[in-house]
Coordinates of all heavy atoms in Angstrom, one line a residue:
M73 N 6.6 12.9 4.5 CA 6.0 12.0 3.6 C 6.7 12.2 2.2 O 7.6 13.0 2.0 CB 4.5 12.5 3.4 CG 3.6 11.6 2.7 SD 3.3 10.1 3.6 CE 2.5 9.1 2.5
V74 N 6.3 11.3 1.3 CA 7.0 11.3 0.0 C 6.5 12.5 -0.9 O 5.3 12.9 -0.8 CB 6.7 10.0 -0.7 CG1 7.2 9.9 -2.1 CG2 7.2 8.8 0.1
N75 N 7.3 13.0 -1.7 CA 7.0 14.1 -2.5 C 5.9 13.7 -3.5 O 6.0 12.7 -4.2 CB 8.3 14.5 -3.3 CG 8.1 15.8 -4.1 OD1 7.0 16.3 -4.3 ND2 9.2 16.3 -4.6
P76 N 4.8 14.5 -3.5 CA 3.6 14.2 -4.4 C 4.0 14.1 -5.9 O 3.3 13.4 -6.6 CB 2.6 15.3 -4.1 CG 3.0 15.9 -2.8 CD 4.5 15.7 -2.7
S77 N 5.0 14.8 -6.3 CA 5.4 14.7 -7.7 C 5.9 13.3 -8.1 O 5.8 13.0 -9.3 CB 6.5 15.7 -8.0 OG 7.7 15.4 -7.4
V78 N 6.3 12.5 -7.2 CA 6.7 11.1 -7.5 C 5.4 10.4 -7.9 O 5.5 9.6 -8.9 CB 7.3 10.5 -6.2 CG1 7.5 9.0 -6.4 CG2 8.6 11.1 -5.8
F79 N 4.3 10.6 -7.3 CA 3.0 9.9 -7.7 C 2.7 10.4 -9.1 O 2.3 9.6 -9.9 CB 1.9 10.3 -6.8 CG 2.1 9.9 -5.3 CD1 1.9 10.9 -4.3 CD2 2.6 8.7 -5.0 CE1 2.1 10.5 -3.0 CE2 2.8 8.4 -3.6 CZ 2.6 9.3 -2.7
D80 N 2.8 11.7 -9.4 CA 2.4 12.2 -10.7 C 3.3 11.6 -11.8 O 2.8 11.2 -12.8 CB 2.6 13.7 -10.7 CG 1.6 14.4 -9.8 OD1 0.5 13.8 -9.4 OD2 1.8 15.6 -9.3
K81 N 4.6 11.5 -11.5 CA 5.5 11.0 -12.5 C 5.2 9.5 -12.8 O 5.2 9.1 -13.9 CB 6.9 11.1 -12.1 CG 7.4 12.6 -12.1 CD 8.9 12.7 -11.6 CE 9.3 14.1 -11.5 NZ 10.7 14.2 -10.9
L82 N 4.9 8.8 -11.7 CA 4.6 7.3 -11.9 C 3.3 7.2 -12.7 O 3.2 6.4 -13.6 CB 4.5 6.6 -10.5 CG 4.2 5.2 -10.6 CD1 5.2 4.4 -11.3 CD2 4.0 4.6 -9.2
A83 N 2.3 7.9 -12.3 CA 1.0 7.8 -13.0 C 1.1 8.3 -14.4 O 0.5 7.6 -15.3 CB 0.0 8.7 -12.3
D84 N 1.9 9.3 -14.7 CA 2.1 9.8 -16.1 C 2.8 8.7 -16.9 O 2.5 8.5 -18.1 CB 2.9 11.1 -16.1 CG 2.1 12.3 -15.5 OD1 0.8 12.1 -15.5 OD2 2.7 13.3 -15.2
R85 N 3.8 8.0 -16.3 CA 4.5 7.0 -17.1 C 3.6 5.8 -17.4 O 3.7 5.3 -18.5 CB 5.7 6.5 -16.3 CG 6.8 7.6 -16.2 CD 8.0 7.1 -15.4 NE 8.7 6.1 -16.1 CZ 9.6 5.3 -15.6 NH1 10.0 5.5 -14.3 NH2 10.2 4.4 -16.2
I86 N 2.8 5.5 -16.5 CA 1.8 4.4 -16.7 C 0.8 4.8 -17.8 O 0.5 4.0 -18.7 CB 1.2 3.9 -15.4 CG1 2.2 3.2 -14.5 CG2 0.0 2.9 -15.7 CD1 1.7 2.9 -13.1
A87 N 0.3 6.0 -17.6 CA -0.7 6.5 -18.6 C -0.1 6.7 -20.0 O -0.8 6.4 -21.0 CB -1.3 7.8 -18.1
A88 N 1.2 7.0 -20.1 CA 1.8 7.2 -21.4 C 1.9 5.9 -22.1 O 2.0 5.8 -23.4 CB 3.2 7.8 -21.2
A89 N 1.9 4.8 -21.4 CA 2.0 3.5 -22.0 C 0.7 3.0 -22.7 O 0.7 2.1 -23.5 CB 2.4 2.4 -21.0
I90 N -0.4 3.7 -22.4 CA -1.7 3.4 -23.0 C -1.9 4.2 -24.3 O -1.5 5.4 -24.3 CB -2.8 3.8 -22.0 CG1 -2.7 2.9 -20.7 CG2 -4.2 3.6 -22.6 CD1 -3.6 3.3 -19.6
P91 N -2.4 3.6 -25.3 CA -2.6 4.3 -26.6 C -3.5 5.5 -26.5 O -4.4 5.6 -25.6 CB -3.2 3.2 -27.5 CG -3.1 1.9 -26.8 CD -2.8 2.2 -25.4
D92 N -3.3 6.5 -27.3 CA -4.1 7.7 -27.3 C -5.5 7.4 -27.6 O -6.4 8.2 -27.2 CB -3.5 8.7 -28.4 CG -2.2 9.3 -27.9 OD1 -1.9 9.3 -26.7 OD2 -1.4 9.7 -28.8
D93 N -5.8 6.4 -28.3 CA -7.2 6.0 -28.7 C -8.1 5.8 -27.4 O -9.3 6.0 -27.4 CB -7.3 4.8 -29.6 CG -6.6 5.0 -30.9 OD1 -6.4 6.2 -31.3 OD2 -6.2 4.0 -31.5
A94 N -7.5 5.4 -26.4 CA -8.2 5.1 -25.1 C -8.0 6.2 -24.1 O -7.6 6.0 -23.0 CB -7.7 3.7 -24.6
K95 N -8.3 7.4 -24.6 CA -8.0 8.6 -23.7 C -8.8 8.6 -22.4 O -8.3 8.9 -21.4 CB -8.4 9.9 -24.5 CG -8.0 11.1 -23.8 CD -8.2 12.4 -24.6 CE -7.7 13.6 -23.8 NZ -7.7 14.8 -24.6
M96 N -10.1 8.2 -22.5 CA -10.9 8.2 -21.2 C -10.3 7.1 -20.3 O -10.2 7.3 -19.1 CB -12.4 7.9 -21.5 CG -13.1 9.1 -22.0 SD -14.9 8.8 -22.1 CE -15.3 8.5 -20.5
L97 N -10.0 6.0 -20.9 CA -9.4 4.9 -20.1 C -8.1 5.3 -19.5 O -7.8 5.1 -18.3 CB -9.2 3.6 -20.9 CG -8.5 2.4 -20.2 CD1 -9.4 2.0 -19.1 CD2 -8.3 1.3 -21.2
R98 N -7.3 6.1 -20.3 CA -6.0 6.6 -19.8 C -6.2 7.5 -18.6 O -5.5 7.4 -17.6 CB -5.4 7.3 -20.9 CG -4.1 8.0 -20.6 CD -3.6 8.8 -21.7 NE -2.3 8.3 -22.1 CZ -1.6 8.8 -23.1 NH1 -2.0 9.8 -23.8 NH2 -0.4 8.3 -23.5
E99 N -7.2 8.5 -18.7 CA -7.4 9.4 -17.6 C -7.9 8.7 -16.3 O -7.5 9.0 -15.2 CB -8.4 10.5 -18.0 CG -7.8 11.4 -19.0 CD -8.9 12.3 -19.6 OE1 -10.1 12.3 -19.2 OE2 -8.5 13.1 -20.5
D100 N -8.8 7.7 -16.5 CA -9.3 6.9 -15.4 C -8.2 6.1 -14.8 O -8.1 6.1 -13.5 CB -10.4 6.0 -15.9 CG -11.1 5.3 -14.7 OD1 -11.4 6.0 -13.7 OD2 -11.4 4.1 -14.8
L101 N -7.4 5.5 -15.6 CA -6.3 4.7 -15.0 C -5.3 5.6 -14.3 O -4.8 5.2 -13.3 CB -5.6 3.9 -16.2 CG -4.4 3.0 -15.8 CD1 -4.9 1.9 -14.8 CD2 -3.8 2.4 -17.0
N102 N -5.1 6.8 -14.9 CA -4.1 7.7 -14.2 C -4.6 8.1 -12.8 O -3.8 8.1 -11.9 CB -4.1 9.0 -15.1 CG -2.9 9.9 -14.7 OD1 -2.3 9.7 -13.7 ND2 -2.6 10.8 -15.6
R103 N -5.9 8.4 -12.7 CA -6.5 8.7 -11.4 C -6.4 7.5 -10.4 O -6.0 7.6 -9.2 CB -7.9 9.2 -11.5 CG -8.1 10.6 -11.9 CD -9.5 11.1 -11.7 NE -10.4 10.3 -12.5 CZ -10.8 10.5 -13.8 NH1 -10.3 11.6 -14.4 NH2 -11.7 9.8 -14.4
T104 N -6.7 6.4 -10.9 CA -6.7 5.1 -10.1 C -5.3 4.8 -9.6 O -5.1 4.5 -8.5 CB -7.3 4.0 -10.9 OG1 -8.6 4.3 -11.4 CG2 -7.3 2.7 -10.1
V105 N -4.3 4.9 -10.5 CA -2.9 4.7 -10.1 C -2.5 5.6 -9.1 O -1.9 5.3 -8.1 CB -2.0 4.7 -11.4 CG1 -0.5 4.7 -10.9 CG2 -2.3 3.5 -12.2
R106 N -2.8 6.9 -9.3 CA -2.3 7.9 -8.3 C -2.9 7.6 -6.9 O -2.3 7.7 -5.9 CB -2.8 9.3 -8.7 CG -2.0 9.9 -9.8 CD -2.6 11.2 -10.2 NE -2.1 11.6 -11.6 CZ -1.5 12.7 -11.8 NH1 -1.2 13.6 -10.9 NH2 -1.0 13.0 -13.0
L107 N -4.2 7.3 -6.9 CA -4.9 7.0 -5.6 C -4.3 5.8 -5.0 O -4.1 5.7 -3.8 CB -6.4 6.8 -5.9 CG -7.3 6.6 -4.7 CD1 -7.2 7.8 -3.7 CD2 -8.7 6.4 -5.1
A108 N -4.1 4.7 -5.8 CA -3.6 3.4 -5.2 C -2.2 3.6 -4.7 O -1.9 3.2 -3.6 CB -3.6 2.4 -6.3
V109 N -1.3 4.3 -5.4 CA 0.0 4.5 -4.9 C 0.0 5.4 -3.7 O 0.7 5.1 -2.7 CB 0.9 5.1 -6.0 CG1 2.3 5.6 -5.5 CG2 1.1 4.1 -7.2
S110 N -0.8 6.5 -3.7 CA -0.8 7.4 -2.6 C -1.3 6.6 -1.3 O -0.8 6.8 -0.2 CB -1.8 8.5 -2.9 OG -1.9 9.4 -1.8
N111 N -2.4 5.8 -1.5 CA -2.9 5.1 -0.3 C -1.9 4.1 0.2 O -1.7 3.9 1.4 CB -4.2 4.4 -0.7 CG -5.4 5.4 -0.8 OD1 -5.3 6.5 -0.3 ND2 -6.4 5.0 -1.5
G112 N -1.3 3.4 -0.7 CA -0.3 2.4 -0.3 C 0.9 3.0 0.5 O 1.3 2.4 1.5
L113 N 1.4 4.1 0.0 CA 2.5 4.7 0.7 C 2.1 5.3 2.0 O 2.9 5.4 2.9 CB 3.2 5.7 -0.2 CG 4.0 5.1 -1.4 CD1 4.5 6.2 -2.3 CD2 5.1 4.3 -0.9
S114 N 0.8 5.8 2.1 CA 0.4 6.5 3.3 C 0.3 5.4 4.4 O 0.5 5.7 5.6 CB -0.9 7.2 3.1 OG -2.0 6.3 2.9
R115 N 0.0 4.2 4.1 CA -0.1 3.1 5.1 C 1.2 2.7 5.6 O 1.3 2.1 6.6 CB -0.8 1.9 4.5 CG -2.3 2.1 4.5 CD -3.0 0.8 4.1 NE -3.5 1.1 2.7 CZ -3.4 0.2 1.7 NH1 -3.0 -1.0 1.9 NH2 -3.9 0.6 0.5
L116 N 2.3 3.0 4.9 CA 3.6 2.7 5.3 C 4.1 3.6 6.5 O 5.2 3.3 7.1 CB 4.6 2.8 4.2 CG 4.4 1.8 3.0 CD1 5.4 2.0 1.9 CD2 4.5 0.3 3.5
E117 N 3.4 4.6 6.8 CA 3.8 5.5 7.9 C 5.2 6.0 7.7 O 6.1 5.9 8.6 CB 3.6 4.9 9.2 CG 2.2 4.5 9.5 CD 2.0 3.9 10.8 OE1 2.9 4.0 11.7 OE2 0.9 3.3 11.0
L118 N 5.5 6.5 6.5 CA 6.8 7.1 6.2 C 7.0 8.4 6.9 O 6.1 9.1 7.2 CB 7.0 7.2 4.7 CG 6.9 5.9 3.9 CD1 6.9 6.2 2.4 CD2 7.9 4.9 4.3
V119 N 8.3 8.8 7.2 CA 8.6 10.1 7.7 C 9.5 10.8 6.8 O 10.2 10.2 6.0 CB 9.3 10.0 9.1 CG1 8.3 9.3 10.1 CG2 10.5 9.2 9.1
T120 N 9.6 12.1 6.9 CA 10.5 12.9 6.1 C 12.0 12.7 6.6 O 12.2 12.2 7.7 CB 10.2 14.4 6.2 OG1 10.4 14.8 7.5 CG2 8.8 14.7 5.7
R121 N 12.9 13.0 5.8 CA 14.3 12.9 6.1 C 14.6 13.8 7.3 O 15.4 13.5 8.2 CB 15.2 13.3 4.9 CG 16.6 13.2 5.2 CD 17.0 11.7 5.4 NE 18.3 11.6 6.0 CZ 18.9 10.5 6.0 NH1 18.4 9.4 5.6 NH2 20.1 10.4 6.5
E122 N 14.0 15.0 7.3 CA 14.2 16.0 8.4 C 13.7 15.3 9.8 O 14.4 15.4 10.8 CB 13.4 17.3 8.2 CG 13.6 18.3 9.2 CD 12.9 19.6 9.0 OE1 12.6 19.8 7.8 OE2 12.6 20.3 9.9
E123 N 12.5 14.7 9.8 CA 12.0 14.1 11.0 C 13.0 12.9 11.4 O 13.2 12.8 12.6 CB 10.6 13.5 10.8 CG 9.6 14.6 10.6 CD 8.2 14.0 10.3 OE1 8.1 13.4 9.1 OE2 7.3 14.0 11.1
F124 N 13.5 12.2 10.5 CA 14.4 11.1 10.7 C 15.7 11.6 11.4 O 16.1 11.0 12.4 CB 14.7 10.3 9.5 CG 15.6 9.2 9.7 CD1 15.2 8.0 10.2 CD2 17.0 9.3 9.3 CE1 16.1 6.9 10.4 CE2 17.9 8.3 9.5 CZ 17.4 7.1 10.1
D125 N 16.2 12.7 10.8 CA 17.4 13.2 11.3 C 17.3 13.8 12.7 O 18.1 13.6 13.6 CB 18.0 14.4 10.4 CG 18.5 13.8 9.1 OD1 18.8 12.6 9.0 OD2 18.6 14.6 8.1
V126 N 16.1 14.4 13.0 CA 15.9 14.9 14.4 C 15.8 13.8 15.4 O 16.4 13.8 16.4 CB 14.5 15.7 14.4 CG1 14.1 16.0 15.8 CG2 14.7 17.0 13.6
Q127 N 15.1 12.7 15.0 CA 15.0 11.5 15.9 C 16.3 10.9 16.1 O 16.6 10.4 17.2 CB 13.9 10.6 15.4 CG 12.5 11.1 15.4 CD 12.1 11.4 16.8 OE1 12.4 10.7 17.8 NE2 11.4 12.5 17.0
T128 N 17.1 10.8 15.0 CA 18.5 10.2 15.2 C 19.3 11.0 16.1 O 20.0 10.4 17.0 CB 19.1 10.1 13.8 OG1 18.3 9.4 12.9 CG2 20.5 9.5 13.9
E129 N 19.3 12.3 16.0 CA 20.1 13.2 16.9 C 19.6 13.0 18.4 O 20.4 12.9 19.3 CB 19.9 14.6 16.5 CG 20.8 15.6 17.3 CD 20.6 17.0 16.9 OE1 20.5 17.3 15.6 OE2 20.7 17.9 17.7
L130 N 18.3 13.0 18.5 CA 17.7 12.8 19.9 C 18.2 11.4 20.5 O 18.5 11.3 21.6 CB 16.2 12.8 19.8 CG 15.4 12.6 21.1 CD1 15.8 13.8 22.1 CD2 13.9 12.6 20.9
L131 N 18.2 10.4 19.6 CA 18.6 9.1 20.1 C 20.1 9.1 20.5 O 20.4 8.5 21.5 CB 18.3 8.0 19.0 CG 18.8 6.6 19.3 CD1 18.1 6.1 20.6 CD2 18.6 5.7 18.1
E132 N 20.9 9.8 19.7 CA 22.3 9.8 20.0 C 22.6 10.5 21.4 O 23.4 10.1 22.2 CB 23.1 10.5 18.9 CG 23.2 9.7 17.7 CD 23.8 10.5 16.5 OE1 24.0 11.7 16.6 OE2 23.9 9.9 15.4
R133 N 21.8 11.7 21.6 CA 22.0 12.4 22.9 C 21.5 11.5 24.0 O 22.1 11.5 25.1 CB 21.2 13.7 22.8 CG 21.9 14.8 22.0 CD 21.2 16.1 22.2 NE 19.8 16.1 22.3 CZ 19.0 16.7 21.5 NH1 19.5 17.5 20.5 NH2 17.7 16.6 21.6
T134 N 20.4 10.8 23.8 CA 19.8 10.0 24.9 C 20.8 8.8 25.2 O 21.0 8.5 26.4 CB 18.5 9.4 24.5 OG1 17.6 10.5 24.2 CG2 17.9 8.6 25.5
R135 N 21.4 8.3 24.2 CA 22.3 7.2 24.3 C 23.6 7.6 25.1 O 24.0 6.9 26.0 CB 22.7 6.6 23.0 CG 23.6 5.4 23.1 CD 23.9 4.7 21.8 NE 22.7 4.1 21.3 CZ 22.3 4.0 20.1 NH1 23.1 4.6 19.1 NH2 21.2 3.5 19.7
A136 N 24.1 8.8 24.8 CA 25.2 9.4 25.5 C 24.9 9.6 27.0 O 25.7 9.3 27.9 CB 25.7 10.6 24.8
R137 N 23.7 10.1 27.2 CA 23.3 10.4 28.6 C 23.1 9.1 29.4 O 23.5 9.0 30.5 CB 22.0 11.2 28.6 CG 21.6 11.7 30.0 CD 20.6 12.8 29.9 NE 20.4 13.2 31.3 CZ 19.3 13.7 31.7 NH1 18.2 13.8 30.9 NH2 19.1 14.1 32.9
L138 N 22.6 8.1 28.7 CA 22.4 6.8 29.4 C 23.8 6.2 29.7 O 24.0 5.7 30.8 CB 21.7 5.8 28.5 CG 21.5 4.4 28.9 CD1 20.7 4.3 30.2 CD2 20.9 3.5 27.9
E139 N 24.7 6.3 28.8 CA 26.1 5.8 29.1 C 26.7 6.5 30.3 O 27.4 5.9 31.1 CB 26.9 5.8 27.8 CG 26.5 4.9 26.8 CD 27.2 5.1 25.4 OE1 28.0 6.0 25.3 OE2 27.0 4.3 24.5
A140 N 26.5 7.8 30.3 CA 27.1 8.6 31.5 C 26.4 8.2 32.8 O 27.1 8.0 33.8 CB 26.9 10.1 31.2
L141 N 25.1 8.0 32.8 CA 24.4 7.6 34.0 C 24.8 6.2 34.4 O 25.0 5.9 35.6 CB 22.9 7.6 33.8 CG 22.3 9.1 33.7 CD1 20.9 9.0 33.3 CD2 22.5 9.8 35.0
E142 N 25.0 5.3 33.4 CA 25.5 3.9 33.8 C 26.9 4.0 34.4 O 27.1 3.2 35.3 CB 25.5 3.1 32.5 CG 24.1 2.6 32.0 CD 24.2 1.9 30.7 OE1 25.2 2.0 29.9 OE2 23.2 1.1 30.5
A143 N 27.7 4.8 33.9 CA 29.1 5.0 34.5 C 29.0 5.5 35.9 O 29.7 5.0 36.8 CB 29.9 5.9 33.6
R144 N 28.1 6.4 36.2 CA 27.9 7.0 37.5 C 27.4 5.9 38.5 O 27.8 5.8 39.6 CB 26.9 8.2 37.5 CG 27.6 9.4 37.0 CD 26.6 10.6 37.1 NE 26.2 10.9 38.4 CZ 25.2 11.7 38.7 NH1 24.5 12.3 37.8 NH2 24.9 12.0 40.0
V145 N 26.4 5.1 38.0 CA 25.9 4.0 38.8 C 26.9 3.0 39.1 O 27.1 2.6 40.3 CB 24.6 3.4 38.2 CG1 24.3 2.1 38.8 CG2 23.5 4.3 38.1
Q146 N 27.7 2.7 38.1 CA 28.8 1.7 38.3 C 29.8 2.2 39.4 O 30.3 1.5 40.3 CB 29.5 1.5 37.0 CG 30.6 0.4 37.1 CD 30.1 -1.0 37.2 OE1 28.9 -1.2 36.9 NE2 30.9 -1.8 37.8
A147 N 30.1 3.5 39.3 CA 31.1 4.1 40.3 C 30.5 4.1 41.7 O 31.2 3.9 42.7 CB 31.4 5.6 39.9
L148 N 29.2 4.4 41.8 CA 28.6 4.4 43.1 C 28.4 3.0 43.7 O 28.5 2.8 44.9 CB 27.2 5.0 43.0 CG 27.2 6.5 42.8 CD1 25.8 7.0 42.5 CD2 27.8 7.3 43.9
E149 N 28.2 2.0 42.8 CA 28.0 0.6 43.3 C 29.4 0.0 43.7 O 29.5 -0.9 44.5 CB 27.3 -0.2 42.3 CG 25.9 0.1 42.1 CD 25.2 -0.8 41.1 OE1 25.9 -1.4 40.2 OE2 24.0 -0.8 41.0
N150 N 30.4 0.4 43.0 CA 31.7 -0.2 43.2 C 32.7 0.9 43.5 O 33.6 1.3 42.6 CB 32.2 -1.0 42.0 CG 31.2 -2.1 41.6 OD1 30.7 -2.8 42.5 ND2 30.9 -2.2 40.4
P151 N 32.7 1.5 44.7 CA 33.7 2.6 45.0 C 35.1 2.0 45.0 O 35.3 0.9 45.3 CB 33.2 3.1 46.4 CG 32.5 2.0 47.0 CD 31.9 1.2 45.8
P152 N 36.0 2.9 44.7 CA 37.4 2.4 44.7 C 37.8 2.1 46.2 O 37.4 2.7 47.1 CB 38.2 3.6 44.2 CG 37.3 4.8 44.3 CD 35.9 4.3 44.3
A153 N 38.7 1.1 46.3 CA 39.1 0.6 47.6 C 40.0 1.7 48.2 O 40.9 2.3 47.6 CB 40.0 -0.6 47.5
V154 N 39.6 2.1 49.4 CA 40.3 3.2 50.2 C 41.3 2.5 51.1 O 40.9 1.6 51.9 CB 39.4 4.1 51.0 CG1 40.1 5.1 51.8 CG2 38.3 4.7 50.0
A155 N 42.6 2.9 51.0 CA 43.6 2.3 51.9 C 43.3 2.7 53.3 O 43.0 3.9 53.6 CB 45.0 2.7 51.5
Q156 N 43.5 1.8 54.3 CA 43.3 2.1 55.7 C 44.4 3.0 56.1 O 45.6 2.8 55.8 CB 43.2 0.9 56.5 CG 41.9 0.1 56.3 CD 41.8 -1.1 57.3 OE1 42.8 -1.5 57.9 NE2 40.6 -1.6 57.4
E157 N 44.1 4.1 56.9 CA 45.1 4.9 57.4 C 45.9 4.2 58.5 O 45.3 3.4 59.2 CB 44.5 6.2 57.9 CG 43.8 7.0 56.8 CD 43.2 8.3 57.4 OE1 43.6 8.8 58.4 OE2 42.2 8.8 56.8
V158 N 47.1 4.6 58.6 CA 47.9 4.0 59.7 C 47.4 4.6 61.0 O 47.2 5.7 61.2 CB 49.4 4.4 59.5 CG1 50.3 3.8 60.7 CG2 49.9 3.8 58.2
G159 N 47.1 3.7 61.9 CA 46.7 4.1 63.3 C 45.2 4.3 63.3 O 44.7 4.9 64.3
A160 N 44.5 4.0 62.3 CA 43.1 4.2 62.3 C 42.4 3.2 63.3 O 42.9 2.1 63.5 CB 42.5 3.9 60.9
P161 N 41.4 3.7 63.9 CA 40.7 2.8 64.9 C 40.2 1.5 64.2 O 39.8 1.5 63.1 CB 39.5 3.6 65.4 CG 39.8 5.0 65.0 CD 40.8 5.0 63.9
G162 N 40.3 0.4 64.9 CA 39.8 -0.8 64.4 C 40.9 -1.6 63.7 O 40.6 -2.7 63.3
E163 N 42.1 -1.1 63.7 CA 43.1 -1.8 63.0 C 43.7 -2.8 64.0 O 43.8 -2.6 65.2 CB 44.2 -0.8 62.6 CG 45.3 -1.3 61.7 CD 46.2 -0.2 61.2 OE1 45.8 0.7 60.6 OE2 47.4 -0.4 61.6
E164 N 44.0 -4.0 63.4 CA 44.5 -5.1 64.3 C 45.8 -4.6 65.0 O 46.6 -3.9 64.4 CB 44.8 -6.3 63.5 CG 43.5 -7.0 63.0 CD 43.8 -8.3 62.3 OE1 44.8 -8.9 62.6 OE2 43.0 -8.6 61.4
G165 N 45.9 -5.1 66.2 CA 47.1 -4.8 67.0 C 47.1 -3.5 67.7 O 48.0 -3.2 68.5
E166 N 46.1 -2.7 67.4 CA 46.0 -1.4 68.1 C 45.0 -1.6 69.3 O 44.0 -2.2 69.2 CB 45.5 -0.4 67.1 CG 45.4 1.0 67.8 CD 44.8 2.0 66.8 OE1 45.1 2.0 65.6 OE2 44.1 2.9 67.3
Q167 N 45.4 -0.9 70.3 CA 44.5 -1.0 71.5 C 43.8 0.4 71.6 O 44.4 1.4 71.4 CB 45.4 -1.2 72.8 CG 46.0 -2.6 72.8 CD 46.8 -2.8 74.1 OE1 46.9 -1.9 74.9 NE2 47.3 -4.0 74.3
T168 N 42.6 0.3 71.9 CA 41.8 1.5 72.1 C 41.9 2.0 73.5 O 41.9 1.2 74.4 CB 40.3 1.3 71.7 OG1 39.8 0.2 72.5 CG2 40.2 1.0 70.2
P169 N 42.0 3.3 73.7 CA 42.2 3.8 75.1 C 41.0 3.7 76.0 O 39.9 3.4 75.8 CB 42.5 5.3 74.9 CG 42.3 5.6 73.5 CD 42.1 4.4 72.8

């Protein structure tokens, strides 16, 4: 999730723009802004950088494994042509005993 100090800094900057005469209004607005920003960001379903990096690494490993499996399937579906041995049974012109 996002660092909570970001909310505090944003709320403080907005509250600082309000004159000192409206101190109660300033405190109320500060709480309201913190709550609104926090709720808005929580709905975005953000992840930490660490979680993102772990998922990226997992995806890379999975992708490499998938590519290896695809290559194996391709090799099994299309085996290399094997040259017929000389004198092998079933070769034209050869008579079977």
Side-chain angles (χ1 to χ4, degrees):
M73 190 73 188
V74 177
N75 187 350
S77 68
V78 173
F79 303 132
D80 294 338
K81 289 178 185 177
L82 180 61
D84 291 341
R85 289 179 69 192
I86 292 172
I90 297 173
D92 290 334
D93 297 341
K95 186 173 182 175
M96 282 188 64
L97 178 62
R98 175 188 244 179
E99 291 171 1
D100 187 44
L101 182 61
N102 194 345
R103 281 191 301 270
T104 304
V105 167
R106 286 177 198 237
L107 183 62
V109 170
S110 178
N111 287 341
L113 289 175
S114 68
R115 279 186 256 138
L116 294 177
E117 298 181 15
L118 301 175
V119 297
T120 63
R121 182 65 193 193
E122 182 180 335
E123 289 173 293
F124 178 79
D125 291 341
V126 166
Q127 291 300 318
T128 301
E129 184 180 325
L130 179 63
L131 177 61
E132 288 171 358
R133 286 192 316 239
T134 303
R135 185 173 290 143
R137 188 162 185 213
L138 174 63
E139 290 171 357
L141 289 172
E142 286 175 339
R144 283 182 63 190
V145 168
Q146 183 71 23
L148 291 171
E149 288 179 346
N150 302 318
V154 179
Q156 290 185 343
E157 296 179 27
V158 177
E163 194 173 295
E164 288 186 29
E166 182 182 323
Q167 295 180 356
T168 55

